[in-house]
Structures are given as C-alpha cells and as structure tokens.
Amino acid sequence: FNGQDLSVFGRTIGHLFFLDNFFTAFAGQYNPLNFTPHLWTIAFEEQIYLFMPLLFMAVVGLRQKPEIQARLLHALGRVYQNLGLFEEATTEMERALAVRQRLATDDPVAHGVVASDLAWVLLYRNEMDRAEPLFRQAVATLTKTKGAAAEETLSAKNGLASLMSMGDRPAEAEPLMRDLLAATLANLGLREPPGPSGPPLEDKFRSVGIQLQNLGAVELNLGRYDDAHRHFTQAVAVKSRLAKRNPGSLANSVEGLGKVALFAHFRGGK
C-alpha cells in the first residue's frame, strides 16, 4: 500500500462505518474519493441517531440512582460557582440538596458539604437569611460526623462567622472566629501564630493570616483595640513571611492597623 491507497482505504472504512467525520477532522479536507467529501455530515448525523438514545437512557437511569444524581448536580453547581454564575449554582445545589433529603440512607457528610456550599453561594448573593440556617445545619452535621477540626467543618464555620460579621453581628462572630483560628493552628501543629522572623511560610499558612485579619476587624468593631492591634500585627507578620506573598492582602492588614490607631485616638482609648 502506498500513501494514496491507505487514504482511499481509510476513507472507505470511514464511509462504511459512519466515521468519516473523524477522518476529516484529523486528516483534513483531502479526500481521494470523488463525489464523497460531503458525506462526513452523514456520518455525524448517524452518530447522533446512535448516541442520543443512549444518552437519554443514561439520564433516565439517573432517576433510579439518586446518589449519583445528587453528586452530579452538586458538581455542576460547583462549576457554576467557580465561573461566578451564582444564580445557576444556587439552582443546581438546591436540586442536589433536595435529592439528598429524599434519600432514605443519605450520607450525612455529603449532605453537610452540599448545605455548606449552597450557603456560601447564597452569601455571595447577599441572601443572608437563607444562608444562615444552612450554615448552622452544616456546622452541626459536619462537627458530629467529621469532627470540629475537619476542613469541611471549618469551611462551614468560616461561612457562618463571615455572615455574622457582614450582618453587623460582631459579638456573635468573634467566638466563632476564635474557634476557627485555634482549630486551624492546631491542624498546623501550632498553638500561636508564626512570628515576624523566620524562613518563608508555605501557602497552607495563608488562611492563618486571613483569619487573624478577620478577627482583628471584628474586635475593632467591638471597640477592643488592644486585641485588634495584636491580631492585625500578627496578620501582617504571617502575610509578610508567605513565600507567595499577596501585596493586596498584606496592605489590607496594614490598613487595619492604621484604623486601630485612628479609632483608639479619637475614642480616647486603646
């Protein structure tokens, strides 16, 4: 066989088995068989006729497997969330949660994670009244099943603390943020945040700097300037030592220190 013969043979096989669109896609438009280059469209049409019923059967089959359906809906919601399409993410995650609520033997961990993710999406949409009960449900479920220091539990607790802080409820947010910081440090094998000197910190310490800043902001709102100053200072120290430093995030902590000094000055205290 020479090159011409192989091309003729390949195209013939493509036409016989409705695969010529693949030959066209990978080999280009060249076709040595006269009057047949347009037949790749027939191949594509036949593939639709073949695979669409199979796809339809698979979708219908998901109704018989609600666990898989719930996972797929949750995954689709996460994709929408990462794309910033929060309305679409809300719809898919609500459907995932509804499917899980109908399961007789639902996985409580998966249920808690879906509730937490949905609450985060609602928080991004500023729907705090809907987000709060979901965060509380997720914290309770995940604490019981995964433990207070589990990553999933900390994410839900962080969402609840953020909601309270955004909702001008700093007194309720502060104990949650303290628990969150203590658990994160414990997971890193620490009792106190890293100091200002030492080797560069790995990226896993980034959350420590953010939590210190958030706690300082809540304490500032409560008028506890000494505590706020200490936590903003620690946040600056941690963020300054990160190997992959974020200048914008570091500037936010420095700005927090400035606010503490300004508030303390005008309110006559520390």
Side-chain angles (χ1 to χ4, degrees):
F1 284 104
N2 56 33
Q4 178 78 3
D5 292 334
L6 285 173
S7 182
V8 170
F9 178 76
R11 288 290 183 170
T12 302
I13 294 296
H15 290 313
L16 289 174
F17 293 96
F18 302 111
L19 297 172
D20 192 54
N21 56 326
F22 291 105
F23 282 93
T24 300
F26 292 106
Q29 294 294 330
Y30 172 70
N31 189 335
L33 301 177
N34 294 330
F35 311 110
T36 64
H38 62 287
L39 293 182
W40 69 267
T41 60
I42 302 298
F44 180 73
E45 182 178 355
E46 293 299 328
Q47 289 162 19
I48 293 294
Y49 294 150
L50 175 64
F51 290 111
M52 283 304 292
L54 297 177
L55 180 61
F56 179 75
M57 292 170 60
V59 171
V60 172
L62 286 178
R63 294 180 180 272
Q64 310 301 323
K65 299 181 182 296
E67 175 66 30
I68 297 177
Q69 185 182 10
R71 292 187 181 186
L72 290 175
L73 288 169
H74 183 207
L76 181 58
R78 292 291 298 271
V79 171
Y80 280 132
Q81 179 184 356
N82 292 334
L83 292 173
L85 301 173
F86 298 126
E87 183 176 350
E88 291 83 355
T90 299
T91 300
E92 301 306 327
M93 288 187 184
E94 285 178 336
R95 291 175 63 192
L97 193 60
V99 172
R100 291 209 166 274
Q101 289 170 341
R102 294 195 299 267
L103 284 173
T105 57
D106 186 23
D107 178 2
V109 174
H111 193 121
V113 170
V114 174
S116 177
D117 287 347
L118 174 56
W120 271 109
V121 172
L122 292 171
L123 183 61
Y124 294 143
R125 298 179 64 182
N126 206 32
E127 297 186 36
M128 297 185 185
D129 290 341
R130 295 178 61 194
E132 182 170 350
L134 288 169
F135 274 133
R136 291 189 180 277
Q137 173 190 342
V139 169
T141 301
L142 293 170
T143 299
K144 182 178 180 180
T145 55
K146 293 284 289 184
E151 181 180 348
E152 297 88 345
T153 308
L154 296 181
S155 176
K157 187 174 290 188
N158 183 34
L160 182 58
S162 299
L163 182 149
M164 291 176 174
S165 179
M166 292 168 60
D168 199 24
R169 297 156 61 186
E172 296 176 72
E174 190 218 2
L176 283 173
M177 289 186 174
R178 286 185 177 276
D179 290 346
L180 187 64
L181 177 61
T184 302
L185 290 173
N187 287 344
L188 293 170
L190 301 173
R191 289 188 176 182
E192 295 292 333
S197 60
L201 296 174
E202 299 177 33
D203 199 61
K204 62 183 179 181
F205 287 89
R206 188 176 304 277
S207 60
V208 175
I210 294 173
Q211 290 168 14
L212 286 166
Q213 176 180 311
N214 292 340
L215 181 55
V218 166
E219 290 164 339
L220 177 61
N221 289 336
L222 292 171
R224 293 167 46 185
Y225 303 123
D226 282 341
D227 290 337
H229 184 274
R230 174 164 56 89
H231 287 124
F232 275 124
T233 301
Q234 290 174 330
V236 170
V238 171
K239 292 180 180 183
S240 297
R241 286 181 56 191
L242 288 172
K244 297 180 180 179
R245 190 181 303 174
N246 184 329
S249 180
L250 178 59
N252 289 337
S253 296
V254 173
E255 181 183 2
L257 276 174
K259 288 181 178 179
V260 171
L262 187 65
F263 276 57
H265 174 76
F266 281 105
R267 296 189 182 185
K270 287 190 175 182

